[in-house]
């Protein structure tokens, strides 16, 4: 082992760079996240060449820009474009108030791997997927100090699941179950830690009552009425407490993987009349950006091979089954409706296939 950073470490750095507003180099092209770009950095970037703005096909649909590349559009940036113009393309907050951003011209042909990799990196940094990309040119020489990545390995890395290592565990008596342990797992790619709450001492050779719970700060901690997460979390822990055993994975995939800031952007769009799926799409995300392979990996690390899964989401069942965990039973987890969450639950049933 040398001190040279591995690919996982370099990707982790690149993510942090983008979140700070620092560009990165991808395959000799310079890529910067619009969300965190400052005016002086934009000026420095424009001095290096004529950039394009890479956005997802989802965002392009809303902006009525042609996406010639599968899943991706490269919008030509006019020479007089300023930060406000770029931000308006990246962020749908004002789409309804200022609807026409166009006409937008998009590139076709050519290598799109750097743009694709740049968008993947933005998503994995939980930033709006809108990346300013300056093509390689004699003007754009090596940029000392900027993190450098090759698009192929970066794309392959982003598609891979991070290796997860146990960090610490301790007894943690809970209201729902006194005999509980909290385990902390840390991924090797600098991403968020995930938790497992083990209730009782479930035998490893029988299907365990299990739940894969995605973090919801607003529902779990604040008691938000807009979703069913808080009541689901407590109902699952209570059921495990009553059964005397179970395992609840608390996965830090806030907002179905888009992060809390983007979830609040999505809520703002929902207040403008869009449903939970449409709001994600307008932001440029898929409706669900979570990687459930993490759940399967953690269950395996804890020694479980079969679960009775508490969920209404058939995708969770399919993903576990597809990654080596037998789901012997799906245990529905239905909680009370109120006037704030009923539309959300209807959308999950109609568009996301939830069995509610
Ligand atoms: N993007 C987005 N995320 C949301 C919204 N409402 C809730 N969430 C997130 O959705 C996730 C819900 O997770 P879960 O309850 O584990 O999953 P689920 O797909 O609903 O499936 P089950 O609850 O198992 O049936 C959490 O990460 C929440 O933060 C929303 O309107 N937009
Ligand atoms: Zn929630």
């Amino acid at each position: 082992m040398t001190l040279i950073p591995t690919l996982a470490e370099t990707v982790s750095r690149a993510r942090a760079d983008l979140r700070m507003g620092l560009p990165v180099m991808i395959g000799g092209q310079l890529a910067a996240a619009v969300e965190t770009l400052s005016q002086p950095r934009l000026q420095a970037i424009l001095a290096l060449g004529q950039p394009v703005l890479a956005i997802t096909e989802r965002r392009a649909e809303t902006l009525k820009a042609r996406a010639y590349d599968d899943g991706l559009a490269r919008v030509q940036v006019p020479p007089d474009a300023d930060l406000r113009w770029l931000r308006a393309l990246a962020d749908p907050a004002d789409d309804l108030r200022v609807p026409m951003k166009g006409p937008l011209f998009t590139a076709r042909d050519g290598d799109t791997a750097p743009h694709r990799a740049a968008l993947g990196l933005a998503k994995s940094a939980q930033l709006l997927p809108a990346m300013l990309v300056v093509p390689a040119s004699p003007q754009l020489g090596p940029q000392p100090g900027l993190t450098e990545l090759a698009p192929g390995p970066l794309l392959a890395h982003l598609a891979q699941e991070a290796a997860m290592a146990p960090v610490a565990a301790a007894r943690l008596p809970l209201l729902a179950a006194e005999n509980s342990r909290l385990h902390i797992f840390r991924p090797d790619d600098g991403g968020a830690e995930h938790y497992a709450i083990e209730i009782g001492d479930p035998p490893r050779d029988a299907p365990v009552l299990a739940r894969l719970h995605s973090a919801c700060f607003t529902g779990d901690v604040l008691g938000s009425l807009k979703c069913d997460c808080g009541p689901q979390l407590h109902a699952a822990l209570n059921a495990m407490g009553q059964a005397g055993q179970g395992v609840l994975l608390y996965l830090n995939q806030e907002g179905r993987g888009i992060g809390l800031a983007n979830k609040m952007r999505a809520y703002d769009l929902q207040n403008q009349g869009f449903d939970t799926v449409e709001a994600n799409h307008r932001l440029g995300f898929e409706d669900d950006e979570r990687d459930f392979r993490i759940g399967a990996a953690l269950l395996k690390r804890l020694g479980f091979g079969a679960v009775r899964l508490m969920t209404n989401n058939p995708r969770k069942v399919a993903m576990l089954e597809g990654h080596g965990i037998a789901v012997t039973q799906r245990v529905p987890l239905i909680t009370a409706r109120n006037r704030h969450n009923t539309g959300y639950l209807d959308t999950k049933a109609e568009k996301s296939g939830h069995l509610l």
Side-chain angles (χ1 to χ4, degrees):
M1 183 87 185
T2 69
L3 288 180
I4 297 167
T6 63
L7 178 59
E9 288 158 348
T10 311
V11 172
S12 180
R13 273 191 180 171
R15 229 186 259 126
D17 291 348
L18 292 185
R19 289 189 65 88
M20 288 188 293
L22 198 62
V24 297
M25 297 298 291
I26 303 177
Q29 310 206 23
L30 184 131
V34 171
E35 178 173 347
T36 51
L37 200 58
S38 66
Q39 186 60 43
R41 283 255 153 76
L42 174 61
Q43 254 143 16
I45 289 172
L46 292 175
L48 293 171
Q50 185 59 38
V52 295
L53 179 69
I55 52 175
T56 65
E57 191 170 358
R58 292 289 189 199
R59 183 73 189 123
E61 271 162 27
T62 300
L63 293 171
K64 305 209 167 23
R66 292 283 292 275
Y68 292 109
D69 319 308
D70 189 29
L72 167 89
R74 288 167 291 160
V75 179
Q76 287 170 15
V77 176
D80 60 346
D82 57 13
L83 203 49
R84 193 198 304 225
W85 186 88
L86 290 167
R87 291 244 168 93
L89 258 66
D91 187 343
D94 289 332
D95 278 357
L96 292 188
R97 213 169 44 82
V98 196
M100 199 51 207
K101 308 275 161 41
L104 298 174
F105 299 101
T106 49
R108 59 198 308 172
D109 306 326
D111 181 15
T112 60
H115 309 80
R116 241 171 250 291
L119 286 177
L121 197 58
K123 279 188 180 184
S124 81
Q126 298 189 327
L127 293 169
L128 287 170
M131 293 290 292
L132 204 56
V133 179
V134 181
S137 72
Q139 236 174 312
L140 174 61
Q143 299 294 316
L146 294 192
T147 303
E148 275 183 53
L149 284 152
L154 173 53
L155 281 165
H157 177 83
L158 292 172
Q160 244 176 38
E161 57 182 311
M164 210 73 67
V167 182
R171 273 180 59 77
L172 183 71
L174 302 177
L175 192 60
E178 268 190 73
N179 183 17
S180 305
R181 280 178 80 75
L182 178 62
H183 304 256
I184 311 298
F185 291 91
R186 187 174 293 163
D188 71 346
D189 69 347
E193 292 173 355
H194 303 287
Y195 321 133
I197 297 137
E198 187 180 2
I199 290 172
D201 189 10
R204 276 19 186 196
D205 56 358
V208 62
L209 187 60
R211 165 123 184 102
L212 267 58
H213 184 86
S214 299
C216 178
F217 171 72
T218 47
D220 300 343
V221 179
L222 302 180
S224 157
L225 296 173
K226 269 181 74 73
C227 61
D228 55 346
C229 304
Q232 279 189 323
L233 174 64
H234 296 291
L237 289 174
N238 283 330
M240 292 173 191
Q242 263 158 33
Q245 46 190 245
V247 60
L248 184 139
L249 302 186
Y250 193 94
L251 305 173
N252 274 310
Q253 305 169 317
E254 175 65 61
R256 295 197 296 272
I258 66 176
L260 188 55
N262 285 319
K263 187 171 96 172
M264 288 308 99
R265 293 187 171 114
Y267 274 8
D268 194 38
L269 295 174
Q270 288 170 40
N271 292 336
Q272 295 179 31
F274 300 104
D275 69 31
T276 180
V277 169
E278 290 163 346
N280 263 37
H281 290 175
R282 292 185 80 88
L283 286 162
F285 293 104
E286 296 305 312
D287 44 313
D288 197 339
E289 295 273 359
R290 287 175 291 183
D291 182 354
F292 287 123
R293 291 177 304 183
I294 300 166
L298 292 186
L299 286 169
K300 281 187 222 163
R301 275 220 83 116
L302 289 163
F304 298 107
V307 293
R308 293 167 46 230
L309 190 67
M310 305 186 79
T311 185
N312 310 314
N313 183 351
R315 276 194 55 231
K316 287 188 183 174
V317 176
M319 283 301 280
L320 285 188
E321 291 270 2
H323 291 88
I325 302 286
V327 180
T328 59
Q329 190 192 348
R330 184 185 72 81
V331 182
L333 193 55
I334 311 286
T335 54
R337 284 184 179 243
N338 65 52
R339 68 191 172 93
H340 301 283
N341 72 10
T342 195
Y344 168 71
L345 295 174
D346 287 343
T347 304
K348 288 220 288 191
E350 284 158 23
K351 293 192 173 177
S352 312
H354 282 63
L355 307 161
L356 292 169

